[in-house]
Amino acid sequence: MRKPFLAGNWKMNKLQSDVTGFFEQFVTQVESCKNCDVLLAAPYLSLKTALDCTANSDIWIASQNVHWEQSGAYTGEVSAAMLSDVGVKFAIIGHSERRQYFAETNETVNLRTKAALSAGLHPIVCVGETLEEREAEKTNDIVKTQLLSALEGVDALDGLTLAYEPVWAIGTGKTASPEQAQQVHSMIRSTLVERFSKDQASHVRLLYGGSAKPENIKELLGQEDIDGGLVGGASLDAASFAKMVQMS
Ligand code: PGA
């Protein structure tokens, strides 16, 4: 059995006082929810505050990216060693907004994934098609290519989480139907069976992302291969994200 996993992604939102305010509410609201793993991905500048606020809880904190070099002349970048050093345990990698606005490619997603793994940081690797690609019936090809490229040279799925995020469903209010999402999740799991092993593929958690909210999380999680959610908008509000955790 795969334990449900809800990961909030704050993107470029929240000032320090918002972060402390969020956790003051959220930590108590999810304290008793032991059936679901919970994570919040905060902007780099808020990581330390988020870690301090969650120190006595089971909530994990993630970064929203990670560079592939350990250190050096890479202005504006943050390495896996730096993240681990402050206590961060997870990193989102390859989010579609990174691919779309910041020239992230399958190759750089792969470099970041390998760097995170070798530094002991758990990657949450994102894949997903655009609306144009879906309409051209290229969803499976695109997602499979993104997945296999991201995992090139990776020996095992231990410590990894994958997120399927159809780009057309992110921040648009349009959710993939549970059946549409399940179809892609099942394809991802079969690809992982072929690439790794049945055992490894059956243990890895596959999150769905794209307008996940309290109103649809139960139905999404009811699908066989959907093990959790990567939640943007609905994770900004403590009550709404806590509700999702309580329902999972
Ligand atoms: P959304 O974002 O829930 O606001 O659609 C999801 C994501 O980008 O991770």
Side-chain angles (χ1 to χ4, degrees), residues 9 11 95 97 165 169-172 209-212 230-234:
N9 174 13
K11 309 190 179 185
H95 190 279
E97 286 149 18
E165 300 207 301
I170 296 178
T172 57
S211 301
L230 184 52
V231 185

Side-chain angles (χ1 to χ4, degrees), residues 20 62 129:
T20 47
E129 83 288 2

Side-chain angles (χ1 to χ4, degrees), residues 113-133:
T113 303
K114 288 189 291 196
L117 285 170
S118 59
L121 204 58
H122 302 308
I124 302 176
V125 178
C126 305
V127 296
E129 83 288 2
T130 62
L131 184 58
E132 223 181 359
E133 290 160 347

Side-chain angles (χ1 to χ4, degrees), residues 64-106:
Q64 299 172 10
N65 201 0
V66 55
H67 195 259
W68 54 86
E69 294 293 347
Q70 280 194 0
S71 61
Y74 302 100
T75 303
E77 293 298 320
V78 172
S79 73
M82 291 168 169
L83 292 166
S84 298
D85 191 42
V86 294
V88 170
K89 299 271 187 305
F90 288 78
I92 295 179
I93 297 176
H95 190 279
S96 67
E97 286 149 18
R98 299 295 318 168
R99 296 177 190 259
Q100 202 177 342
Y101 308 131
F102 303 100
E104 191 79 68
T105 64
N106 287 339

